Amino acid sequence: MVDRSPSPPTRRVIEVVGMLASADRPMGVGEIAAALGIARATATAVVRELADASWVTRDADRRYAVGPALAGIGGRLPVGGSVAERLEVLARQVGCGVTLSRIDVGALRVVAKAHGGDRDIPGVPVGQRVPLAYPAGAAVMPWREGAERDGWVAGADDGDAAERLLGLVQHRRYAMFRPTSGDAGLVDVLADLLDVVGGDLLRPRLRTKVLTQLSALTARAYTAAELDDDGSLPVSYLAAPVVVDGKAIHELQMGPLRSAVTRDERNAYIGALTSAAADLARDPGMGSPSVSRPVEPVVQS
């Protein structure tokens, strides 16, 4: 049969998106190709591009489903309204931007965000996909198993430090990060640039590169001893797990991006973040109305 479409490649993309949107389960590339009568190589190329833009997601079994960017079109968040409201409350409470991310195999995807104060978490739109590498995803990794956790630890320059970070997160239910002193100025420049340009306006590949670099500059994890220091500390980000039925799929993040934060202020940040994570874990909009082990707010004494 002659393909009379004015743009066959475009039609292939539409067909793949339509199939995944109507499917009741994730689908593999072979299934997609067979159902649409197209070459497996064509189906692979289409889903890779869609995954790059976060229109689809890929699970551990290499099956694809509709992703957060597509779900968010038209202003519709891929989370419940009560979840979005809780993020708004947290953002107002801490005075900075907050995001809720889903940690997939090999990638972090923002599924909801809320603005707070003068600076948002820069350049991170809903649906943004950022490659997952140490220490990103630290808040959920203690609840991940086997190869995924081991691969994440192996990506760190210091495996022992990575294991200690996971132990700290499992015990305290949060992680806190800082820029190195030499990178603090560059962090401000990149963050301000993204605020001015508008991260949503950058091409996806360029935005991913900038965000990956910004993450690397701001992601030195604090140790337990450093967190217990009575003095002021620079703080770039904090992250906490949302543990539902003993599993951590989502990570709640906030980005003060401040060069000096007192211990009392840090305690306030920690309490607000972990309390919000516990509320989200009990919210039906996260997929389960209860958790097997409650996540209580943790505040340093």
Side-chain angles (χ1 to χ4, degrees), residues 63-78:
R63 297 174 302 181
Y64 293 86
V66 169
L70 184 59
I73 286 178
R76 181 169 60 88
L77 291 175

Side-chain angles (χ1 to χ4, degrees), residues 3 5 7-23 27 32-33 35-38 42 46-47 50:
D3 191 339
S5 169
S7 178
T10 303
R11 184 164 61 81
R12 296 285 184 261
V13 174
I14 293 171
E15 289 173 344
V16 170
V17 170
M19 172 167 287
L20 293 177
S22 61
M27 300 181 67
I32 295 170
L36 296 177
I38 61 178
T42 299
V46 170
V47 295
L50 291 172

Side-chain angles (χ1 to χ4, degrees), residues 216-253:
L217 292 174
T218 59
R220 175 190 158 190
Y222 276 111
T223 65
E226 291 170 333
L227 288 171
D228 292 337
D229 190 289
D230 287 330
S232 294
L233 299 173
V235 176
S236 50
Y237 297 94
L238 293 88
V242 179
V243 183
V244 180
D245 293 331
K247 297 179 180 179
I249 298 175
H250 292 88
E251 179 177 281
L252 183 61
Q253 305 131 348

Side-chain angles (χ1 to χ4, degrees), residues 79-297:
V79 296
S82 57
V83 172
E85 291 174 4
R86 186 63 181 88
L87 296 185
E88 293 286 351
V89 170
L90 175 61
R92 291 195 298 269
Q93 185 177 3
V94 298
C96 64
V98 301
T99 63
L100 180 67
S101 297
R102 178 184 174 92
I103 310 301
D104 296 314
V105 176
L108 176 153
R109 291 178 173 83
V110 177
V111 298
K113 66 185 297 186
H115 301 272
D118 296 328
R119 170 166 286 172
D120 185 21
I121 293 184
V124 185
V126 172
Q128 172 66 43
R129 175 184 183 276
V130 179
L132 186 66
Y134 173 89
V140 305
M141 281 300 155
W143 289 266
R144 297 300 176 94
E145 298 179 354
E148 185 180 3
R149 172 175 168 150
D150 292 344
W152 184 86
V153 170
D157 292 334
D158 185 339
D160 290 338
E163 290 288 0
R164 287 194 295 271
L165 174 59
L166 295 185
L168 183 150
V169 171
Q170 193 157 24
H171 174 65
R172 301 197 183 193
R173 303 297 179 128
Y174 73 90
M176 186 181 296
F177 303 93
R178 59 161 292 173
T180 61
S181 56
D183 290 333
L186 183 55
V187 168
D188 280 340
V189 170
L190 283 175
D192 288 339
L193 178 62
L194 283 168
D195 281 342
V196 171
V197 173
D200 294 13
L201 301 180
L202 296 179
R203 287 180 297 175
R205 293 182 190 276
L206 177 58
R207 185 171 63 230
T208 295
K209 289 181 179 179
V210 174
L211 290 172
T212 300
Q213 182 63 30
L214 184 61
S215 176
L217 292 174
T218 59
R220 175 190 158 190
Y222 276 111
T223 65
E226 291 170 333
L227 288 171
D228 292 337
D229 190 289
D230 287 330
S232 294
L233 299 173
V235 176
S236 50
Y237 297 94
L238 293 88
V242 179
V243 183
V244 180
D245 293 331
K247 297 179 180 179
I249 298 175
H250 292 88
E251 179 177 281
L252 183 61
Q253 305 131 348
M254 55 178 284
L257 289 173
R258 292 178 53 193
S259 59
V261 182
T262 68
R263 183 164 186 175
D264 285 345
E265 290 174 323
R266 297 198 303 273
N267 284 343
Y269 281 155
I270 294 164
L273 182 71
T274 54
S275 178
D279 288 344
L280 292 176
R282 293 188 288 266
D283 193 299
M286 298 299 294
S288 175
S290 62
V291 295
S292 58
R293 182 173 52 186
V295 184
E296 298 298 334

